[in-house]
Amino acid sequence: MFQVAAGPVYAGQTLKSTIFTANMPPPLTILLASILKPLDDTRMLGKFGRTLAARPGTEVHVAGRTAPPPRQLPPNLHTHALLTGTRLSLDRLRAQGRYWRLLQRLQPDVVFVHAPELLPATVLWQALGRGRRFVY
């Protein structure tokens, strides 16, 4: 049974900090991120995402280039579009900001970075908080 903390949700609070379960630890939040891999990528979503989502107590988020919505995702596997333009568009710069905001909103326990251009933001995110981990 899920319970929502009483009272308003304030700026800076994450969903993870406002929802808890009785007698259960909070879920492990995992983010798989790339700028150029599409959201329906066989490796990132199909193999990594679905395999990690099959583990009990995990919330898996996949961030990448816009693609047709994947079908039949488990309820704990979510997708987020970082790049809506083409590979050679200026939207790749804006994708960095979208990625940073996603990191702030999700507060993942571990990030799997699938693109070198996301490393600077990921290293900064790790340096600004305790216990933040990432894999490249």
Side-chain angles (χ1 to χ4, degrees), residues 92-108:
R92 280 179 80 167
L93 294 175
R94 288 188 287 274
Q96 298 287 330
R98 289 185 198 107
Y99 175 63
W100 180 256
R101 287 187 297 278
L102 186 63
L103 285 170
Q104 299 303 307
R105 191 176 80 230
L106 296 178
Q107 292 296 311

Side-chain angles (χ1 to χ4, degrees), residues 48-123:
F48 286 113
R50 288 183 188 273
T51 300
L52 290 168
R55 294 180 53 101
T58 59
E59 281 289 322
V60 180
H61 297 265
V62 177
R65 187 165 43 99
T66 300
R71 293 187 306 217
Q72 300 178 353
L73 290 179
N76 63 331
L77 180 55
H78 314 279
T79 59
H80 306 273
L82 293 180
L83 178 64
T84 56
T86 62
R87 297 171 77 101
L88 300 176
S89 69
L90 288 176
D91 196 44
R92 280 179 80 167
L93 294 175
R94 288 188 287 274
Q96 298 287 330
R98 289 185 198 107
Y99 175 63
W100 180 256
R101 287 187 297 278
L102 186 63
L103 285 170
Q104 299 303 307
R105 191 176 80 230
L106 296 178
Q107 292 296 311
D109 296 296
V110 64
V111 177
F112 290 87
V113 179
H114 293 258
E117 62 196 291
L118 295 178
L119 285 174
T122 307
V123 170

